[in-house]
Amino acid sequence: MSAGPTLEPGASDPRVRELRTRLAASGDLTASAPLDELVYDEALVAAVEAFQARHGLDVDGRVGIATLEALNA
């Protein structure tokens, strides 16, 4: 996933599309979620939190440096 400022719930950002695709590939985001949506919505927050919990990260639903590094590992 591309680097940039921390992604916060409710934000609209082109990187959200990348995040959706990445989390769908790992099974954290259900296939029914729209992969082309640019808004960081509740479904995506839940998927990020599941990813963070699984990887021993702080579960805050935000995509900061540590979560970004884990996503790109």
Side-chain angles (χ1 to χ4, degrees):
M1 191 175 131
S2 301
T6 298
L7 281 174
E8 303 277 350
S12 180
D13 188 297
R15 295 175 300 143
V16 170
R17 191 175 286 146
E18 292 178 64
L19 181 59
R20 288 182 185 280
T21 301
R22 169 64 180 82
L23 292 173
S26 64
D28 293 294
L29 185 64
T30 64
S32 63
L35 296 180
D36 61 345
E37 178 63 44
L38 296 179
V39 176
Y40 192 177
D41 61 15
E42 294 291 322
L44 191 53
V45 171
V48 167
E49 289 174 344
F51 177 88
Q52 290 171 326
R54 198 162 40 87
H55 289 276
L57 301 166
D58 288 338
V59 179
D60 61 7
R62 302 168 63 220
V63 181
I65 293 171
T67 300
L68 181 62
E69 287 176 353
L71 286 164
N72 288 336

